[in-house]
Amino acid sequence: MSLSRSPLTDRFGRSIEYLRLSVTDRCDMKCTYCLPKSFKGYQEPADWLTFDEIERVVGAFARLGTSRVRLTGGEPLLRRHLPQLASRISALPGIRDLSLSTNGTQLPKYAESLRAAGVTRLNISLDSLTRECVTQITGRDTLDDVMAGLDAAQAAGFDPIKLNMVVMPGVNDHEVESMTEFCINRGFILRMIETMPMGSTGLASGFTPLGPILDKLRDRFDLIPEIKEMGGGPARYWRTRDGRGQIGLITPISQHFCATCNRVRLSVDGTLYLCLGQEEKVELRPLLRAGISDSDLEQVIREGIELKPERHEFREAPTKIIRFMSQTGG
């Protein structure tokens, strides 16, 4: 087995230390910015990477220097026995940070087992605090389920817990202050996200620049820039001067962060996507099922990273990416 530990660096000098790993493209919601209500084009389970295949790929990334893994979907907790996979990944040499993105509905069942399996951080999607708006966005009334999930996550000892809010014009942009106050009072970190034009749903959801929203929140909550690292992702953080609360902004449209992008995405069918906003990809599943060796798998990953583009073109070519977010992995 190869013991290579050299850094995985792309042709623009960016160190790829973060793998976002989709374990399913299924979800128990159909959020307006993610999937059409009528969508049926899910991957067949036979085409999903098995846990053994996932462990091989993550192990190869870890040997190449990637240390952060985030489990995503779809809704990752719809994948059967996910805590077992989490335990296998967290035990891999070189993996020092295992996190999970979820809509929260399944956390009452799985929060404790995820914590025991080595998941250390959670990002939970919650775009509104009003039942009507949640139902409008997700396609069903899930507010009570998500709130129960938040309670379960805190009871299991997860800290920090980040709440992801996709801010959409005319839908929930008027709620950012109430959401900020809710998060401060509950001890959550709020992360506001600009809608990305992925597929017809992302385009239709519209785009709200977060800069003006930050200006309002800065005055209302006396925010100052946060200087400590808050994870390996692209958010820029502020905190209240009294230290009670923190908010993060993810601004892929108004202020892109491509120059410091440190991540790639592996979809449930084994497709390695090098950029959310471009088409470069590497198909790993056929190679895994043909019996590729560990050293050759590492070489394929290295060569794939060389394809990573310099930046996305969400502003210049907003209709370019027709695949939906859940097909890529969140």
Coordinates of all heavy atoms in Angstrom, one line a residue, residues 147-191:
M147 N -36.6 21.5 14.3 CA -36.3 22.0 15.7 C -36.0 20.8 16.6 O -35.1 20.9 17.5 CB -37.6 22.7 16.2 CG -37.8 24.1 15.5 SD -36.4 25.2 15.8 CE -36.9 26.6 14.8
A148 N -36.7 19.7 16.5 CA -36.4 18.5 17.3 C -35.0 18.0 17.0 O -34.2 17.6 17.9 CB -37.4 17.4 17.0
G149 N -34.5 18.1 15.7 CA -33.2 17.7 15.4 C -32.1 18.6 16.0 O -31.1 18.2 16.5
L150 N -32.4 19.9 16.1 CA -31.5 20.9 16.7 C -31.4 20.5 18.2 O -30.3 20.5 18.8 CB -32.0 22.3 16.6 CG -32.0 22.9 15.1 CD1 -32.7 24.3 15.1 CD2 -30.6 23.0 14.6
D151 N -32.5 20.2 18.8 CA -32.5 19.9 20.3 C -31.6 18.6 20.5 O -30.8 18.5 21.4 CB -33.9 19.6 20.8 CG -34.7 20.9 20.9 OD1 -34.1 22.0 20.9 OD2 -35.9 20.8 20.9
A152 N -31.8 17.6 19.6 CA -31.1 16.3 19.7 C -29.6 16.5 19.5 O -28.8 15.9 20.2 CB -31.6 15.3 18.7
A153 N -29.2 17.4 18.6 CA -27.8 17.7 18.3 C -27.1 18.3 19.5 O -26.0 18.0 19.9 CB -27.7 18.6 17.1
Q154 N -27.8 19.3 20.1 CA -27.2 19.9 21.3 C -27.2 18.9 22.5 O -26.2 18.9 23.2 CB -28.1 21.1 21.7 CG -27.8 22.3 20.8 CD -28.4 23.6 21.3 OE1 -29.6 23.6 21.7 NE2 -27.7 24.7 21.2
A155 N -28.2 18.1 22.6 CA -28.2 17.1 23.7 C -27.1 16.1 23.5 O -26.5 15.6 24.5 CB -29.6 16.4 23.8
A156 N -26.7 15.8 22.3 CA -25.6 14.9 22.0 C -24.3 15.5 22.2 O -23.2 14.7 22.1 CB -25.8 14.3 20.6
G157 N -24.2 16.8 22.4 CA -22.9 17.4 22.7 C -22.2 18.0 21.5 O -21.1 18.4 21.6
F158 N -22.9 18.2 20.4 CA -22.3 18.8 19.2 C -22.1 20.3 19.5 O -23.0 21.0 19.9 CB -23.1 18.6 17.9 CG -23.0 17.2 17.3 CD1 -24.0 16.3 17.5 CD2 -21.9 16.9 16.6 CE1 -23.9 15.0 17.0 CE2 -21.7 15.6 16.0 CZ -22.7 14.7 16.2
D159 N -20.9 20.7 19.2 CA -20.5 22.2 19.4 C -19.2 22.4 18.6 O -18.2 21.8 18.9 CB -20.3 22.5 20.9 CG -20.1 23.9 21.1 OD1 -20.7 24.8 20.4 OD2 -19.3 24.2 22.0
P160 N -19.2 23.3 17.6 CA -20.3 24.2 17.3 C -21.4 23.5 16.4 O -21.1 22.5 15.8 CB -19.6 25.3 16.5 CG -18.5 24.6 15.8 CD -18.0 23.6 16.8
I161 N -22.6 24.1 16.4 CA -23.6 23.7 15.4 C -23.8 24.9 14.5 O -24.1 26.0 15.0 CB -24.9 23.3 16.1 CG1 -24.6 22.0 16.9 CG2 -26.0 23.1 15.1 CD1 -25.8 21.6 17.8
K162 N -23.7 24.8 13.2 CA -23.9 25.9 12.3 C -25.2 25.7 11.6 O -25.5 24.6 11.1 CB -22.8 25.9 11.3 CG -21.4 26.2 11.9 CD -20.3 26.1 10.9 CE -18.9 26.3 11.5 NZ -17.8 26.3 10.5
L163 N -26.0 26.8 11.5 CA -27.2 26.8 10.8 C -27.0 27.5 9.4 O -26.6 28.6 9.4 CB -28.3 27.5 11.6 CG -29.3 26.6 12.4 CD1 -28.5 25.8 13.4 CD2 -30.4 27.4 13.1
N164 N -27.3 26.7 8.4 CA -27.2 27.3 7.0 C -28.5 27.9 6.5 O -29.5 27.2 6.5 CB -26.8 26.2 6.0 CG -25.3 25.8 6.2 OD1 -24.6 26.4 7.0 ND2 -24.9 24.7 5.6
M165 N -28.5 29.1 6.1 CA -29.7 29.8 5.6 C -29.4 30.3 4.2 O -28.6 31.2 4.1 CB -30.1 31.0 6.6 CG -31.2 31.8 6.1 SD -31.5 33.2 7.2 CE -33.1 33.8 6.6
V166 N -30.0 29.7 3.2 CA -29.9 30.3 1.9 C -30.9 31.5 1.8 O -32.1 31.3 1.9 CB -30.3 29.2 0.8 CG1 -30.2 29.8 -0.6 CG2 -29.3 28.0 1.0
V167 N -30.3 32.6 1.5 CA -31.1 33.9 1.5 C -31.6 34.1 0.1 O -30.8 34.3 -0.8 CB -30.2 35.0 2.0 CG1 -31.1 36.3 2.1 CG2 -29.7 34.7 3.4
M168 N -33.0 34.2 0.0 CA -33.6 34.4 -1.3 C -34.5 35.6 -1.3 O -35.2 35.9 -0.3 CB -34.4 33.1 -1.6 CG -33.6 31.9 -1.8 SD -34.6 30.4 -1.9 CE -34.9 30.2 -0.1
P169 N -34.4 36.4 -2.4 CA -35.2 37.7 -2.4 C -36.7 37.4 -2.4 O -37.2 36.5 -3.2 CB -34.7 38.3 -3.7 CG -34.2 37.2 -4.6 CD -33.6 36.2 -3.6
G170 N -37.4 38.1 -1.6 CA -38.8 38.0 -1.5 C -39.4 36.7 -0.9 O -40.6 36.5 -0.9
V171 N -38.5 35.9 -0.4 CA -38.9 34.6 0.2 C -38.5 34.7 1.7 O -39.4 34.6 2.6 CB -38.2 33.4 -0.5 CG1 -38.6 32.1 0.2 CG2 -38.5 33.4 -1.9
N172 N -37.3 34.8 2.0 CA -36.9 34.8 3.4 C -35.8 35.9 3.8 O -35.3 35.9 4.9 CB -36.3 33.4 3.8 CG -35.0 33.1 3.1 OD1 -34.7 33.8 2.1 ND2 -34.4 32.0 3.5
D173 N -35.5 36.8 2.8 CA -34.5 37.8 3.1 C -34.9 38.7 4.3 O -34.1 39.4 4.9 CB -34.1 38.6 1.9 CG -35.3 39.2 1.1 OD1 -36.5 38.8 1.4 OD2 -35.1 40.0 0.3
H174 N -36.2 38.8 4.5 CA -36.7 39.7 5.6 C -36.5 39.1 7.0 O -36.7 39.7 8.0 CB -38.2 40.0 5.4 CG -39.1 38.8 5.4 ND1 -39.1 37.9 4.4 CD2 -39.9 38.3 6.4 CE1 -40.0 36.9 4.7 NE2 -40.5 37.2 5.9
E175 N -36.1 37.8 7.0 CA -36.0 37.1 8.3 C -34.5 37.0 8.8 O -34.3 36.4 9.9 CB -36.5 35.6 8.1 CG -38.0 35.5 8.0 CD -38.4 34.1 8.1 OE1 -38.2 33.5 9.2 OE2 -38.9 33.5 7.2
V176 N -33.6 37.7 8.2 CA -32.2 37.5 8.6 C -32.0 38.0 10.0 O -31.2 37.4 10.8 CB -31.2 38.1 7.6 CG1 -31.2 37.4 6.3 CG2 -31.5 39.6 7.4
E177 N -32.6 39.1 10.4 CA -32.4 39.6 11.8 C -33.0 38.7 12.8 O -32.4 38.4 13.9 CB -33.0 41.0 11.9 CG -32.2 42.0 11.1 CD -32.6 43.5 11.5 OE1 -33.2 43.7 12.5 OE2 -32.4 44.4 10.6
S178 N -34.2 38.2 12.6 CA -34.8 37.2 13.5 C -34.1 35.9 13.6 O -33.9 35.3 14.7 CB -36.3 37.0 13.2 OG -36.4 36.4 11.9
M179 N -33.5 35.5 12.5 CA -32.7 34.3 12.5 C -31.4 34.5 13.2 O -31.0 33.6 14.0 CB -32.4 33.8 11.0 CG -31.7 32.5 11.0 SD -32.7 31.1 11.5 CE -33.6 30.8 9.9
T180 N -30.8 35.6 13.1 CA -29.6 36.0 13.8 C -29.9 36.0 15.3 O -29.1 35.4 16.1 CB -29.0 37.3 13.4 OG1 -28.8 37.3 12.0 CG2 -27.8 37.7 14.1
E181 N -31.0 36.6 15.7 CA -31.3 36.6 17.1 C -31.6 35.2 17.7 O -31.1 34.9 18.8 CB -32.5 37.5 17.3 CG -32.8 37.9 18.8 CD -33.7 39.1 18.9 OE1 -34.4 39.5 17.9 OE2 -33.9 39.6 20.0
F182 N -32.3 34.4 16.9 CA -32.6 33.0 17.3 C -31.2 32.3 17.5 O -31.1 31.6 18.6 CB -33.4 32.3 16.2 CG -33.5 30.9 16.4 CD1 -34.4 30.3 17.3 CD2 -32.8 30.0 15.6 CE1 -34.5 28.9 17.5 CE2 -32.9 28.6 15.7 CZ -33.8 28.1 16.7
C183 N -30.3 32.4 16.6 CA -29.0 31.7 16.7 C -28.2 32.2 17.9 O -27.6 31.3 18.6 CB -28.3 31.8 15.4 SG -29.0 30.9 14.1
I184 N -28.2 33.5 18.1 CA -27.5 34.0 19.3 C -28.1 33.4 20.6 O -27.3 33.0 21.5 CB -27.5 35.5 19.3 CG1 -26.6 36.1 18.2 CG2 -27.0 36.1 20.6 CD1 -26.7 37.6 18.0
N185 N -29.4 33.4 20.7 CA -30.0 32.9 21.9 C -29.9 31.4 22.1 O -29.8 31.0 23.3 CB -31.5 33.3 21.9 CG -31.8 34.8 22.0 OD1 -31.0 35.5 22.5 ND2 -32.9 35.3 21.5
R186 N -29.8 30.7 21.0 CA -29.6 29.2 21.2 C -28.2 28.7 21.1 O -27.9 27.5 21.3 CB -30.4 28.6 20.0 CG -31.9 28.6 20.2 CD -32.4 27.7 21.3 NE -32.0 26.3 21.2 CZ -32.6 25.4 20.6 NH1 -33.8 25.6 20.1 NH2 -32.2 24.1 20.6
G187 N -27.2 29.6 20.9 CA -25.8 29.2 20.8 C -25.4 28.5 19.5 O -24.4 27.8 19.4
F188 N -26.2 28.8 18.4 CA -25.8 28.3 17.1 C -25.0 29.4 16.3 O -25.1 30.6 16.6 CB -27.1 28.0 16.3 CG -28.0 27.0 16.9 CD1 -29.3 27.2 17.0 CD2 -27.5 25.8 17.4 CE1 -30.2 26.3 17.6 CE2 -28.3 24.8 18.0 CZ -29.6 25.1 18.1
I189 N -24.3 29.0 15.3 CA -23.6 29.9 14.4 C -24.4 30.0 13.2 O -24.7 29.0 12.5 CB -22.2 29.4 14.1 CG1 -21.3 29.3 15.4 CG2 -21.5 30.3 13.1 CD1 -20.0 28.7 15.2
L190 N -24.9 31.2 12.8 CA -25.6 31.3 11.6 C -24.7 31.6 10.4 O -23.8 32.4 10.4 CB -26.6 32.6 11.7 CG -27.4 32.9 10.5 CD1 -28.3 31.8 10.0 CD2 -28.1 34.2 10.7
R191 N -25.0 30.8 9.3 CA -24.2 31.0 8.1 C -25.2 31.3 7.0 O -26.1 30.5 6.6 CB -23.4 29.8 7.7 CG -22.4 29.3 8.8 CD -21.4 28.5 8.2 NE -21.8 27.5 7.3 CZ -21.1 26.8 6.4 NH1 -19.7 27.0 6.5 NH2 -21.6 25.9 5.6

